[in-house]
Amino acid sequence: MMILKKNCSLLLGALLAGCMLLLLLHPASSLDAALRGLAVWWDVLFPSLFPFFVISEMMLGFGVVHLFGALLDPLMRPVFNIPGSGGFVAAMGYVSGYPVGAKLTAKLREQELLSRVEGERLVAFTTSSDPIFLLGAVSVGFFHDASLGLILALAHYGGGLIVGLMLSFYGRREDSASGSHVQAAAEAPQAAPDTGGSGRLRMALRSMAEARRRDGRSLGELLKGAVQSSLQLIIVVGGLVVFFNVLMELMDRAGIMSALFSFTGELLTLAGFPAELSSALVSGLFEVTLGARSAGAAAASVPLQFKVAAAACVLSWGGLSVHAQVASILNGTGLRYLPFLAARLVHAFLSAGLVMLLWNPVVGSGLRVDYSTVPAAAGFASPLSGFAAGISWLGILLGSALLLSLLMLLLRRIPRPGRRP
């Protein structure tokens, strides 16, 4: 093990030395790539993510997460095997995009509202693209077709929910060993007298008030702390975006990207897929925006469903830039990165498969035509219309998940034959 670590350190040192040499050889190209990454951070990421960071931080201080946790625990436990506070993280993660889900999961872990396994489950399936980027940038900006937002949303968010259901079976032995279910069962009798919906609401409000009392900070202190911590995180996000833009430029200058394109194209050909999508997949391996743009700009000879499947794959993978952001957030929380990596891989293949599976039912029916009520140019000029439509379909997905959770909850409460209810 020590020899392996030593070899990895030597290899990493050699790679960094190579990057430094390439920086010295191509200073102008590196500067242009850094400026492009900085523009993406300042024009897109900072205004879209920073308000979510601040608001979510303040909601944690006001105890809103405890309110959601008490209300949603009977649904989240049987379906996703996580506490009810995970419902709040899932909603915020799906609406605001990566890496908000990871940030909120880390905060819940710091407050000891999640065990390690529960946190790993939660961050793995709540890291997703936001609807504005998926609908406004990808479907309208890159593919110039607002109607593709429907199938992208179904594949991306539906795949995320499927990953969450699959992860409910992950780490159950560790759950039993840590006693998280025992702790949950010990807390349940306190809420036993309040069996109705109004009783659960009263319990949730009491939980929120207790969390607010324990926090004890004034509104000004909450706002100051939220801004400070959010600024630190958004600066880390921006630095990683700039770094990966420069890294990809250096790899392109060194001929590494072209070699990766050729290798990936051969693999796609063997699998029966168009080799022209290699650029999208390799670019998306590092940065999600570049990968989605390359998928939309692929050769006209590539069938549209393959282009959309590649974009869905890239969106669900997230890119190494997002992976680095999540890894930096999880650092110090005790949450492991490998479950997140495995979930991203599964989500990427699931999303691409869902696009191919749903293409004929969605495109062959009137759904895709009805979804696109405005031309692509108009949708690009007014992304709020696409956003509203995306939210409606996202609501359908979340509503379906809610119905599924209610069904599973009812099935679990049905007494087995020969057993007293």
Side-chain angles (χ1 to χ4, degrees):
M1 183 63 69
M2 293 297 295
I3 296 176
L4 180 61
K5 288 184 177 180
K6 183 178 179 180
N7 292 334
C8 290
S9 299
L10 291 175
L11 179 61
L12 182 59
L15 290 174
L16 291 175
C19 289
M20 181 61 69
L21 179 61
L22 288 172
L23 276 172
L24 295 175
L25 293 175
H26 305 285
S29 301
S30 302
L31 179 61
D32 290 339
L35 290 175
R36 288 197 303 269
L38 187 62
V40 170
W41 175 71
W42 181 253
D43 295 336
V44 179
L45 297 180
F46 191 96
S48 63
L49 291 180
F50 184 72
F52 278 104
F53 286 164
V54 175
I55 293 173
S56 60
E57 189 83 18
M58 295 188 67
M59 292 177 77
L60 285 167
F62 275 104
V64 177
V65 176
H66 295 74
L67 173 69
F68 275 83
L71 289 175
L72 297 177
D73 193 72
L75 302 179
M76 300 300 291
R77 281 287 183 189
V79 179
F80 300 110
N81 202 13
I82 56 176
S85 54
F88 171 78
V89 177
M92 292 292 290
Y94 283 156
V95 170
S96 53
Y98 21 66
V100 173
K103 176 184 182 294
L104 293 177
T105 303
K107 285 294 181 181
L108 295 186
R109 176 64 177 157
E110 289 174 6
Q111 296 182 4
E112 298 183 351
L113 297 176
L114 296 169
S115 68
R116 184 175 74 169
V117 175
E118 290 169 345
E120 290 169 356
R121 291 187 195 121
L122 186 58
V123 73
F125 86 93
T126 58
T127 302
S128 66
S129 172
D130 63 280
I132 294 180
F133 178 75
L134 186 147
L135 296 160
V138 178
S139 63
V140 177
F142 299 156
F143 283 91
H144 308 289
D145 189 351
S147 64
L148 294 176
L150 170 60
I151 194 165
L152 276 172
L154 289 173
H156 182 63
Y157 297 116
L161 293 176
I162 293 174
V163 169
L165 293 173
M166 295 169 63
L167 286 172
S168 64
F169 300 98
Y170 159 73
R172 293 206 171 189
R173 287 186 179 180
E174 193 169 340
D175 268 342
S176 302
S178 64
S180 61
H181 293 294
V182 176
Q183 180 182 359
E187 294 173 356
Q190 300 177 2
D194 293 332
T195 56
S198 59
R200 178 162 294 279
L201 179 60
R202 287 195 298 270
M203 181 191 68
L205 292 173
R206 285 198 301 268
S207 177
M208 177 181 174
E210 178 63 22
R212 180 74 185 104
R213 186 190 62 80
R214 286 198 305 266
D215 186 275
R217 290 177 292 174
S218 64
L219 178 61
E221 292 173 335
L222 271 175
L223 182 58
K224 177 184 175 182
V227 170
Q228 286 178 343
S229 63
S230 300
L231 275 175
Q232 290 176 355
L233 179 57
I234 200 67
I235 289 174
V236 171
V237 170
L240 290 170
V241 170
V242 172
F243 170 75
F244 275 96
N245 269 271
V246 174
L247 179 63
M248 289 184 63
E249 180 66 25
L250 295 177
M251 292 175 65
D252 186 38
R253 293 289 176 174
I256 299 176
M257 294 298 290
S258 60
L260 288 175
F261 291 159
S262 301
F263 177 71
T264 307
E266 292 179 1
L267 291 180
L268 288 172
T269 302
L270 290 175
F273 293 96
E276 292 83 355
L277 294 175
S278 60
S279 175
L281 295 179
V282 173
S283 300
L285 174 67
F286 295 95
E287 216 285 315
V288 61
T289 307
L290 296 177
R293 182 186 293 124
S294 297
S301 59
V302 179
L304 183 58
Q305 61 264 38
F306 288 104
K307 296 181 183 180
V308 177
C313 179
V314 168
L315 287 170
S316 300
W317 164 250
L320 290 180
S321 177
V322 171
H323 283 242
Q325 296 169 30
V326 172
S328 66
I329 294 171
L330 299 184
N331 185 33
T333 63
L335 302 180
R336 294 166 292 195
Y337 168 72
L338 284 181
F340 173 80
L341 174 64
R344 291 300 92 219
L345 285 170
V346 173
H347 192 188
F349 285 106
L350 266 177
S351 297
L354 284 174
V355 168
M356 303 303 294
L357 182 66
L358 298 175
W359 186 262
N360 285 332
V362 173
V363 176
S365 65
L367 288 176
R368 180 169 173 256
V369 178
D370 294 339
Y371 177 79
S372 178
T373 57
V374 294
F380 185 73
S382 179
L384 289 178
S385 60
F387 174 72
I391 288 296
S392 64
W393 283 106
L394 179 60
I396 292 175
L397 285 172
L398 295 179
S400 302
L402 180 62
L403 291 176
L404 177 62
S405 61
L406 286 171
L407 179 60
M408 294 183 68
L409 180 63
L410 291 174
L411 290 176
R412 288 197 174 201
R413 296 204 172 193
I414 296 176
R416 298 176 183 175
R419 184 177 178 183
R420 293 183 62 187

